[in-house]
Amino acid sequence: MEELRQKYLNAIADAADEAALEEIRIRALGKKGEVSLKMRELGRMSPEERKTAGPALNALKNELNAALTAKRAALADAALDARLRAEWLDVTLPARPRRQGTVHPISQVTEEVIAIFAEMGFAVAEGPQIETDWYNFDALNIPPHHPARQEFDTFYMHREPGDSRPPNVLRTHTSPVQIRAMEKHGAPIRIIAPGRVYRSDYDQTHTPMFHQVEGLAIDRDISMANLKWVLEEFCRAFFEVEEVELRFRASHFPFTEPSAEVDLRCSWQDGQLKVGEGDDWMEILGSGMVHPKVLKAAGVDPDQWQGFAFGIGIDRLAMLKYGIPDLRAFFDSDLRWLRHYGFAPLDVPTMRAGLSL
Ligand code: PHE
């Protein structure tokens, strides 16, 4: 029996894996295993012999079972150790470099514009891009059959057949935010409203979606002179040059009276745009004194309040400031273009050191 014990304990100690261990268990303790067969022989022994052989065989069986269990656990531990070693991960390795994205020139310029007007005391207001025709047109003194409605190349939203309400529109300008802001806050008020606008138009300086920033200043005695100062001051700060030259051209908008369009002196040299010099003019904004009917539509008493409004093309500003010749490229999502004209995320909006306030 001692021979049997040594043989199997050695075999268990030497087993290389789980499968080998199972084989040993079957050879010793399986139905036809050596130890099991010995136990069966107990029946043919005399009671005297059985008295010593029985407990001894039982003890052997228990010892082998215990050895098997211990070895199985040891093998599992070793396997886990090996796996931990193989799958080891160096968390101190530096990360793989990732290319940083850039800030789109439109976003950058919008931030610059907001920073400059904020310094002049303008708060930022917002409105929806899908607008009712009342906010986009009627409230701005453009009644249903006014020719100005055609001039805007409006995108109309769909209505269910049988729904006779006038269709909503993709706002053609940021001017509806004037109405929404005055409805909400009344007068006096000083806001700008940057955002997307839409018109069906497409060439080197027009895209069907573009960006404007609306300005609105209403108080008791705001005049055209204030408008001129604000716009000139804005342009000087934005273009970071003293000799920005603006041209105020008499114009017409249904929602302002009088109205003026403003052009900026610029030049094209070898396909590059330069501000402040040359013989060309680039139209950058429309403006004027807010029409009394517009104030009334927004719930502001025109006998007590007056002021100016303007709408600047943000995309035009970006083209001029950063010398970008084709507006369409702004919205092509061409990575090479974005990396070339984009800004680092931490580029703080540039601004000439302080306005002459
Ligand atoms: N909404 C006008 C446009 O898009 C611009 C404008 C705004 C003109 C405010 C006057 C006053 O053309």
Side-chain angles (χ1 to χ4, degrees):
M1 205 175 301
E2 180 55 25
E3 208 177 288
L4 216 54
R5 178 173 169 272
Q6 271 314 323
K7 179 170 107 182
Y8 283 110
L9 285 179
N10 287 343
I12 290 168
D14 294 344
D17 54 31
E18 189 88 22
L21 212 55
E22 178 61 8
E23 218 171 87
I24 295 164
R25 189 190 66 79
I26 291 168
R27 261 195 286 134
L29 304 170
K31 259 192 193 140
K32 289 177 184 160
E34 257 185 298
V35 178
S36 310
L37 290 178
K38 277 256 172 319
M39 297 202 74
R40 227 169 281 165
E41 284 172 18
L42 284 175
R44 282 182 263 121
M45 288 180 191
S46 68
E48 286 303 301
E49 281 173 319
R50 215 182 296 152
K51 230 183 198 162
T52 49
L57 270 173
N58 253 330
L60 175 61
K61 186 180 148 192
N62 290 340
E63 190 179 358
L64 292 182
N65 265 328
L68 281 166
T69 305
K71 180 69 179 180
R72 211 171 278 132
L75 282 175
D77 282 353
L80 183 60
D81 277 350
R83 200 174 143 208
L84 285 174
R85 257 193 310 279
E87 293 177 10
W88 182 73
L89 198 68
D90 186 354
V91 293
T92 68
L93 274 180
R96 288 199 185 93
R98 283 206 179 226
R99 201 155 186 157
Q100 273 204 329
T102 57
V103 175
H104 195 283
I106 297 294
S107 306
Q108 177 77 12
V109 165
T110 303
E111 289 304 318
E112 293 175 12
V113 169
I114 290 173
I116 293 166
F117 281 112
E119 191 128 318
M120 291 196 260
F122 287 78
V124 174
E126 275 183 328
Q129 293 177 42
I130 296 173
E131 200 41 291
T132 65
D133 75 332
W134 191 81
Y135 279 108
N136 196 80
F137 294 124
D138 299 69
L140 291 163
N141 194 30
I142 314 175
H145 297 292
H146 194 285
R149 287 213 180 193
Q150 269 70 61
E151 281 162 31
F152 274 125
D153 303 308
T154 312
F155 287 113
Y156 292 93
M157 305 292 290
H158 182 70
R159 282 267 187 231
E160 288 300 315
D163 187 337
S164 59
R165 288 174 302 168
N168 288 332
V169 300
L170 294 183
R171 68 177 180 192
T172 56
H173 50 181
T174 42
S175 298
V177 187
Q178 289 184 33
I179 308 296
R180 290 182 177 276
M182 284 191 281
E183 274 181 346
K184 198 165 167 196
H185 303 292
I189 189 169
R190 216 174 344 169
I191 54 118
I192 55 165
R196 290 182 174 170
V197 299
Y198 302 84
R199 286 179 210 176
S200 181
D201 208 349
Y202 191 69
D203 62 31
Q204 191 175 350
T205 49
H206 295 88
T207 50
M209 184 278 298
F210 59 106
H211 302 79
Q212 289 187 333
V213 56
E214 194 78 9
L216 175 72
I218 304 291
D219 210 321
R220 304 250 175 221
D221 53 7
I222 288 188
S223 74
M224 206 72 183
N226 300 120
L227 168 68
K228 200 159 177 241
W229 181 86
V230 163
L231 291 177
E232 279 175 350
E233 209 52 34
F234 164 74
C235 285
R236 257 197 290 277
F238 180 78
F239 290 108
E240 302 173 73
V241 277
E242 281 304 330
E243 56 281 11
V244 161
E245 196 180 333
L246 295 183
R247 181 170 76 178
F248 283 74
R249 237 179 330 105
S251 181
H252 175 265
F253 298 103
F255 33 93
T256 46
E257 181 58 35
S259 305
E261 280 178 297
V262 178
D263 307 330
L264 189 70
R265 187 185 283 284
C266 64
S267 65
W268 296 84
Q269 285 164 5
D270 316 317
Q272 278 287 315
L273 217 42
K274 275 227 159 77
V275 172
E277 51 189 82
D279 298 324
D280 277 328
W281 295 93
M282 176 96 135
E283 184 195 319
I284 54 166
L285 65 92
S287 64
M289 296 300 291
V290 177
H291 197 291
K293 283 190 177 171
V294 172
L295 295 174
K296 206 181 275 173
V300 168
D301 181 359
D303 293 329
Q304 303 220 31
W305 307 97
Q306 62 177 39
F308 63 74
F310 57 80
I312 310 180
I314 292 182
D315 319 71
R316 297 277 177 88
L317 289 184
M319 292 172 77
L320 286 163
K321 182 164 180 179
Y322 296 112
I324 307 172
D326 195 322
L327 178 59
R328 292 168 293 194
F330 277 77
F331 311 117
D332 280 346
S333 299
D334 180 336
L335 267 182
R336 289 166 307 171
W337 188 93
L338 291 168
R339 281 181 189 139
H340 180 77
Y341 286 111
F343 292 82
L346 294 178
D347 260 1
V348 181
T350 52
M351 217 172 107
R352 197 169 55 96
L355 297 151
S356 50
L357 290 174

